């Protein structure tokens, strides 16, 4: 239980810092990569998210895994999304911890979300997601992205 609280504190702190410094890419910037992903979330107080995706960068595809924790949530949710990726210099820079502050809800097929997240390498993602499920989220959270083996 102590490890869970420690991990939650790390993700919450990362979420607050990244949400504070994450600024949407200026309109004149063009994304230099895209990411397509699917995640599932279960929340009973603490919110846990896991999933997979594919980063498309300079004509190559790089699979990745997603894990995350968040504070104050309840419900079950599935998300399918796409993200425009900015300021990516190499696929390795895509990996890292992305944070955001959010208040949201999804009910049935009606949920949808757009948000901006950034990681410690300066990579910015404008995420557009469709949610399916029943969930209420309050507070901050983050996701950790790790490149996978093919």
């Amino acid at each position: 239980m102590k490890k869970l609280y420690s991990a939650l504190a790390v993700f919450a702190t990362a979420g607050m810092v990244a949400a504070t410094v994450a600024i949407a890419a200026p309109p004149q910037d063009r994304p230099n990569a895209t990411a397509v992903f699917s995640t599932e979330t279960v929340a009973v107080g603490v919110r846990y998210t896991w999933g997979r995706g594919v980063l498309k960068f300079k004509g190559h595809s790089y699979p990745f895994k997603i894990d995350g924790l968040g504070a104050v949530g309840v419900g079950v949710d599935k998300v399918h999304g796409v993200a425009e990726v900015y300021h990516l210099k190499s696929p390795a820079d895509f990996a890292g911890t992305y944070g955001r502050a959010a208040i949201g809800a999804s009910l049935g097929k009606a949920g949808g979300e757009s948000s901006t997240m950034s990681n410690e390498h300066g990579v910015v993602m404008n995420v557009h997601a469709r949610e399916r499920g029943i969930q209420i989220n309050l507070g901050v959270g983050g996701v950790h992205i790790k490149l996978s083996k093919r």
Side-chain angles (χ1 to χ4, degrees):
M1 193 60 125
K2 200 172 194 178
K3 283 185 178 184
L4 177 62
Y5 288 130
S6 295
L8 183 57
V10 167
F11 278 107
T13 301
M16 286 186 284
V17 170
T20 301
V21 298
I23 299 173
Q28 69 271 20
D29 276 1
R30 292 181 156 256
N32 58 345
T34 59
V36 178
F37 63 91
S38 294
T39 63
E40 295 183 49
T41 301
V42 173
V44 180
V46 174
R47 192 172 72 244
Y48 178 67
T49 301
W50 69 96
R52 296 183 176 275
V54 175
L55 170 69
K56 296 187 182 210
F57 179 62
K58 293 187 177 181
H60 297 281
S61 296
Y62 302 91
F64 61 89
K65 292 182 182 179
I66 302 169
D67 289 300
L69 289 173
V72 192
V74 62
V76 177
D77 204 8
K78 289 187 180 188
V79 175
H80 299 284
V82 64
E84 294 100 18
V85 182
Y86 298 83
H87 313 296
L88 186 65
K89 295 176 184 137
S90 76
D93 289 342
F94 183 69
T97 301
Y98 291 80
R100 69 184 178 113
I103 298 174
S106 63
L107 177 61
K109 297 179 184 180
E113 158 182 328
S114 290
S115 62
T116 299
M117 306 186 334
S118 66
N119 74 6
E120 64 273 22
H121 305 291
V123 176
V124 176
M125 284 198 294
N126 288 341
V127 178
H128 310 283
R130 295 188 67 198
E131 301 175 33
R132 185 174 188 175
I134 299 173
Q135 188 163 168
I136 298 172
N137 300 314
L138 302 170
V140 297
V143 295
H144 182 75
I145 293 179
K146 180 179 178 182
L147 294 178
S148 307
K149 304 238 189 254
R150 294 177 190 240

